Amino acid sequence: MAILSYDGRFPQPWKRVDVDREIIAIHHIEGPEPVPVALTNEGDVYTLTEAGTDWSKIPGAGLLSEDATGLGLLNDLALHGDIQFVAGNARQLYRRIGLGAWETLSTDATAPDGYRPEDFMRLLALADGSLLIVSDQQPRAPNYDFLDDPRYSADMSVEEIGALMDRQNAEAAGGPPIKRLCHYTDANFRQIELPQEAHILDMFLDPAGQVWLFGYDGLLMRGTPEDGFQRLGFHGDMQTLLSATMFRNEMIFASDYTLHRFDGHRLTSLKPKLNDPFLNRNTPTPLRIQTVGDVMFYFDYKHGVCRWDGKTWDWIDIPPALLERDFKGLPTP
């Protein structure tokens, strides 16, 4: 994979940094000169300073790394000032201040019977430096041969064998998947009660200090760790919400097929719609939305990046050479 950066102050504004691992999160340290920080699933952390690219490896993290200790992959990165937090499988939680050494805050690969270890999936740093952590714990199904099941017979169809294997999986599992939300502060984890069906994909902290939780089946909740979270109704909307930002005092959400405004009660389509003919059949595939100043940036899985000023959409023209697998550099302007 590669990290692309743009700085319009220079004649050649683009820069590319190639990475041998899968990048799973990018944020930036705020300041007069924002500093991008990128995390790979193996625990490589790239900090793009003016002096160059600083690389750091979280000791023991990852699955394929030479120093991996078996805890597994990493899943998310959060920043609080110049403090970096990283979370991953088997309750991995790490912290680094500036470009210093990494500190292990938590690891735990144990699990109750019938389950895999708990995985930390999403992180959100709050104003006081504490963290909200979304975790996931999957049931463990043992290996077996469906031929040994007394319900199996040689005259079964492929569909019937598939249904039998599904029943075996359900019976062998230790229980349903367990989703948790916890508040981490001062080395303590406190679980926050949520509806059992709540499946959080991501979180957003607004300027007023309210946390928005959103995800599958129209999940949208708002609150704080101290006061709890309330579900916000929007009249039967059941789409998957992937990303959120606040743009000029309005909450904007990206679902798996379009962008929405939230008026406090329901979601409505963001207009003017992102319907440039550049899109396949005028259908966007949202990845992330983010506001910087008075501009909202939209990132699309298939189609690149564009800006929205509240009235018009402006696609960013990325030089094709930057997207080539074998990058040979950009021409001098």
Side-chain angles (χ1 to χ4, degrees):
M1 300 187 75
I3 304 169
L4 306 183
S5 59
Y6 177 90
D7 191 334
R9 297 174 299 176
F10 298 99
Q12 176 51 270
W14 291 98
K15 182 190 300 182
R16 168 169 158 164
V17 177
D18 286 344
V19 175
D20 291 334
R21 302 292 191 184
E22 180 183 351
I23 300 169
I24 48 95
I26 295 182
H27 295 286
H28 67 276
I29 300 173
E30 296 183 358
E33 295 291 337
V35 177
V37 180
L39 170 71
T40 75
N41 57 358
E42 288 287 332
D44 306 277
V45 180
Y46 296 84
T47 307
L48 279 60
T49 67
E50 288 189 347
T53 303
D54 174 82
W55 170 82
S56 175
K57 171 66 173 64
I58 300 175
L63 187 65
L64 303 175
S65 302
E66 291 183 359
D67 68 339
T69 59
L71 293 169
L73 299 176
L74 297 178
N75 298 316
D76 205 7
L77 163 75
L79 303 181
H80 182 257
D82 67 344
I83 302 175
Q84 304 165 34
F85 295 97
V86 169
N89 292 351
R91 294 176 61 93
Q92 292 178 85
L93 185 62
Y94 305 98
R95 176 174 61 193
R96 178 170 74 152
I97 300 176
L99 299 181
W102 287 98
E103 175 188 3
T104 301
L105 301 179
S106 168
T107 61
D108 186 357
T110 62
D113 290 343
Y115 280 87
R116 299 181 183 277
E118 183 179 13
D119 298 331
F120 288 163
M121 303 302 297
R122 287 289 176 266
L123 280 180
L124 181 68
L126 304 181
D128 61 1
S130 64
L131 299 172
L132 277 178
I133 304 174
V134 176
S135 73
D136 176 67
Q137 193 162 22
Q138 292 292 323
R140 184 192 301 276
N143 295 324
Y144 53 81
D145 189 338
F146 69 87
L147 297 174
D148 296 331
D149 193 303
R151 294 169 292 186
Y152 169 75
S153 64
D155 60 350
M156 276 185 164
S157 67
V158 173
E159 291 77 14
E160 289 171 329
I161 292 175
L164 173 60
M165 295 177 69
D166 287 342
R167 288 195 295 272
Q168 288 174 322
N169 276 321
E171 293 164 1
I178 300 172
K179 314 292 182 181
R180 296 185 180 94
L181 176 69
C182 72
H183 186 210
Y184 174 84
T185 180
D186 298 329
N188 293 314
F189 294 90
R190 179 178 65 86
Q191 185 174 340
I192 297 174
E193 293 298 325
L194 291 179
Q196 186 175 1
E197 70 277 9
H199 189 166
I200 302 168
L201 283 179
D202 213 342
M203 302 174 282
F204 178 77
L205 178 66
D206 69 25
Q210 292 286 298
V211 176
W212 299 70
L213 313 175
F214 50 92
Y216 287 114
D217 298 325
L219 175 68
L220 182 57
M221 305 184 76
R222 182 180 60 195
T224 65
E226 296 77 20
D227 299 330
F229 292 85
Q230 298 296 321
R231 187 151 191 168
L232 306 174
F234 31 108
H235 308 294
D237 288 338
M238 295 296 288
Q239 62 264 44
T240 298
L241 301 179
L242 302 171
S243 184
T245 190
M246 179 164 279
F247 178 72
R248 300 181 183 178
N249 297 319
E250 280 190 304
M251 283 298 298
I252 310 295
F253 290 90
S255 70
D256 51 359
Y257 68 94
T258 193
L259 301 177
H260 311 264
R261 279 189 169 99
F262 182 67
D263 64 5
H265 300 283
R266 62 189 301 268
L267 296 173
T268 57
S269 295
L270 180 64
K271 296 180 180 180
K273 288 187 177 181
L274 184 66
N275 58 358
D276 193 286
F278 178 70
L279 299 174
N280 294 339
R281 298 183 181 179
N282 289 333
T283 302
T285 49
L287 172 63
R288 182 178 176 85
I289 50 177
Q290 183 176 355
T291 299
V292 180
D294 287 334
V295 177
M296 186 180 80
F297 288 85
Y298 167 78
F299 299 84
D300 191 285
Y301 273 107
K302 300 178 180 178
H303 309 298
V305 185
C306 65
R307 293 179 289 243
W308 189 56
D309 61 6
K311 296 180 179 179
T312 58
W313 295 97
D314 179 25
W315 286 94
I316 295 175
D317 185 19
I318 301 176
L322 277 171
L323 305 178
E324 295 292 335
R325 179 179 293 272
D326 185 16
F327 179 58
K328 296 182 174 63
L330 292 169
T332 302

